[in-house]
Amino acid sequence: MQWRAVQPSFQPRVLEIDGARAWCRLTAEHPYLVADGAAGGGSDDLAGWFGGFKFYEPYWPAVAEHYDVIHLTQLAYLECAYAPLECIDGITSITGWGPDVAVWLIHPTDISGAPI
């Protein structure tokens, strides 16, 4: 993975995910039903991994209306990565992230605020 230091051209709206509660709150505020394992289905998707539960993630286009960057702390990663977390009427989990990662939802030097 390539990375570099970023100097934004504006004051970004940052949400820090510092634990399971913060991730579940973000998911509940902007829910996206990824898979409905409660309705059955294959075991090759996230809902299948978590055995018959509805699986939610944040709906990123809606999140981008409120935040420019999401930062996942190291402790949040250790607490939440690939762990089933109760959320809404199913579960969520932080998947595909790393510890101490910041994900930009808009380009950090684009003052127009257009989503990436």
Side-chain angles (χ1 to χ4, degrees):
M1 174 185 293
Q2 295 181 358
W3 69 273
R4 62 184 164 86
V6 174
Q7 182 63 44
S9 59
F10 58 94
Q11 184 63 41
R13 301 167 297 167
V14 179
L15 175 63
E16 184 163 279
I17 303 296
D18 60 0
R21 272 189 261 186
W23 180 261
C24 291
R25 184 173 41 253
L26 177 65
T27 303
E29 289 172 357
H30 309 285
Y32 174 69
L33 180 60
V34 175
D36 189 349
S43 61
D44 59 343
D45 60 17
L46 291 173
W49 288 6
F50 295 122
F53 290 93
K54 291 181 179 180
F55 186 84
Y56 293 91
E57 288 184 347
Y59 183 61
W60 296 112
V63 174
E65 293 177 13
H66 303 278
Y67 302 101
D68 302 316
V69 62
I70 309 298
H71 176 242
L72 180 68
T73 68
Q74 293 176 354
L75 291 176
Y77 179 81
L78 291 174
E79 181 182 3
C80 306
Y82 299 95
L85 307 169
E86 290 184 37
C87 184
I88 311 171
D89 61 347
I91 59 172
T92 186
S93 185
I94 294 175
T95 59
W97 292 59
D100 197 25
V101 168
V103 174
W104 286 85
L105 303 177
I106 66 167
H107 196 282
T109 60
D110 180 3
I111 59 172
S112 74
I116 292 179

